[in-house]
Amino acid sequence: MDSLELFFISVGALVFLLYLIKLIACMKIFFPKTWYPLPQSFFTSLGEWAVVTGGSDGIGRAYATELAKHGMNIVIISRTEDKLKKVAKEIEETTGQRVKVIVADFTKEDIYEHIAESIKELNVGVLVNNVGILSSKIPCRFLDTDDTDRVISNLINCNVKSLVKMSKIVLPGMEKRQKGLILNLSSGLAKFPCPLYTIYSASKVFVERFSRGLQAEYKSKGIIIQSVTPYGVSTPMTQHQRPNIITKTAEDFVRTSLNYILAGDQTYGCIPHQILGWIMQTIPLQVLHSSVVQEKFLAFVRQRVSENTSYHG
């Protein structure tokens, strides 16, 4: 066998190995229950209580309900007391689990001492850092944002500071018990520099980087820290988009995403969002950032909002 023939055989073997690795990665995404099975008592083995920020609506509410179905007592934190009490009653009646309500506005900075005091006696096994806000209901350029200074302050407090402060409150107990789970809600828009959602997508980049760095620090302590990066989910924050093959209901997305808890420090949470993530990574930034695409996207969003308002109303 001459050296050229050996070279081509080696290249062929390497290509085969690379595609085999990709195939296995795909199989893990399509069959998470086979590759990442969770014991029935997984969540309750971490602790009695789950804390969910932004738990009165959308994804947060879905996480609170689903974790209660898995046998956990729930702490839901949000700024609207009436909505919190309504959700708490529904969860208690449907699951039989206890639900504790904490009223706190995460756009403010003086709330964490009260939260820490309210949960200090609880055996918290799961923290879901879900709370977040958009810079504008309709995507727009940075200088077109209404009341920009207020938006900047509120968004950083809610999307960035809340994540760090809540982790600081809950992590010491998890480290002491050598077990725990922290799920941090990022966004598919954090995967590329995203015009028209510039502040929001940048804040979600922080969520992902903070999560993955923190997991590296505390994985050896028995703590799982995962960044969850969905694309379309029908929630009040997204104007109740009509569910379809890409846009999931909050309940469907959360139920699916929990199957990927052992899949690593980052997950898209469901198969359609993973596939969309792959597709978005193949599109050159020059295309995504072009003025033509931005204008087309704005027109598309305005049309969808109009349709979804009619659908929800």
Side-chain angles (χ1 to χ4, degrees):
M1 182 182 299
D2 59 33
S3 58
L4 184 61
E5 185 179 359
L6 181 60
F7 170 76
F8 282 116
I9 291 174
S10 300
V11 170
L14 181 59
V15 170
F16 173 79
L17 181 60
L18 290 174
Y19 275 95
L20 180 61
I21 292 171
K22 288 181 178 291
L23 177 62
I24 292 173
C26 288
M27 295 291 285
K28 289 181 177 181
I29 291 166
F30 281 91
F31 303 102
K33 291 184 178 180
T34 300
W35 290 90
Y36 312 111
L38 291 178
Q40 189 171 1
S41 61
F42 173 79
F43 294 101
T44 53
S45 70
L46 299 174
E48 297 176 62
W49 290 84
V51 175
V52 182
T53 65
S56 62
D57 267 318
I59 291 176
R61 178 176 180 169
Y63 268 113
T65 302
E66 196 64 25
L67 290 169
K69 290 178 180 178
H70 283 279
M72 302 198 77
N73 299 318
I74 307 296
V75 179
I76 47 176
I77 311 175
S78 190
R79 65 183 176 182
T80 309
E81 186 172 11
D82 290 345
K83 291 170 72 173
L84 284 170
K85 288 182 176 179
K86 181 181 178 182
V87 173
K89 183 179 179 182
E90 290 176 359
I91 294 174
E92 287 175 339
E93 289 178 349
T94 56
T95 68
Q97 299 301 125
R98 288 181 288 166
V99 182
K100 181 178 176 67
V101 165
I102 300 176
V103 179
D105 183 349
F106 284 98
T107 64
K108 311 300 181 185
E109 299 189 36
D110 59 351
I111 61 173
Y112 296 100
E113 185 176 346
H114 169 62
I115 293 173
E117 184 68 22
S118 299
I119 66 175
K120 69 177 182 179
E121 301 298 331
L122 304 182
N123 180 6
V124 177
V126 177
L127 169 63
V128 181
N129 281 312
N130 161 75
V131 70
I133 59 173
L134 289 169
S135 53
S136 174
K137 289 184 179 180
I138 302 296
C140 63
R141 293 181 175 87
F142 176 66
L143 293 180
D144 295 333
T145 306
D146 293 333
D147 197 357
T148 309
D149 288 339
R150 180 186 61 82
V151 167
I152 291 170
S153 177
N154 287 350
L155 188 141
I156 290 174
N157 282 341
C158 192
N159 294 14
V160 175
K161 179 172 280 188
S162 68
L163 173 82
V164 180
K165 297 286 281 187
M166 289 302 301
S167 298
K168 182 177 181 291
I169 290 170
V170 171
L171 258 177
M174 292 181 174
E175 183 181 28
K176 183 178 179 180
R177 294 189 302 273
Q178 296 285 290
K179 57 184 177 180
L181 169 66
I182 299 177
L183 299 176
N184 295 324
L185 269 293
S186 180
S187 169
L189 300 183
K191 292 298 184 180
F192 57 95
C194 187
L196 308 178
Y197 286 106
T198 301
I199 314 175
Y200 175 79
S201 65
S203 73
K204 292 303 183 177
V205 173
F206 179 90
V207 173
E208 184 167 314
R209 294 299 176 90
F210 177 78
S211 302
R212 301 180 81 167
L214 207 62
Q215 174 66 119
E217 293 178 4
Y218 288 93
K219 186 175 183 179
S220 63
K221 306 290 186 180
I223 302 169
I224 300 170
I225 301 168
Q226 186 181 69
S227 170
V228 184
T229 58
Y231 275 97
V233 180
S234 180
T235 68
M237 191 172 80
T238 59
Q239 308 293 308
H240 296 283
Q241 294 180 30
R242 188 188 299 269
N244 54 40
I245 192 171
I246 297 295
T247 302
K248 300 297 181 182
T249 66
E251 293 75 18
D252 285 344
F253 175 78
V254 166
R255 194 178 305 114
T256 304
S257 70
L258 291 178
N259 294 327
Y260 292 92
I261 284 173
L262 301 182
D265 57 12
Q266 187 271 330
T267 178
Y268 284 97
C270 66
I271 294 170
H273 292 187
Q274 175 67 67
I275 294 173
L276 181 57
W278 286 335
I279 293 171
M280 294 301 294
Q281 289 174 21
T282 68
I283 302 175
L285 284 180
Q286 295 94 317
V287 174
L288 293 175
H289 289 181
S290 70
S291 297
V292 172
V293 169
Q294 291 182 49
E295 293 301 327
K296 294 282 188 183
F297 179 71
L298 280 173
F300 169 76
V301 170
R302 291 190 182 107
Q303 182 181 353
R304 284 291 299 272
V305 168
S306 176
E307 293 172 353
N308 290 325
T309 300
S310 301
Y311 161 74
H312 185 65

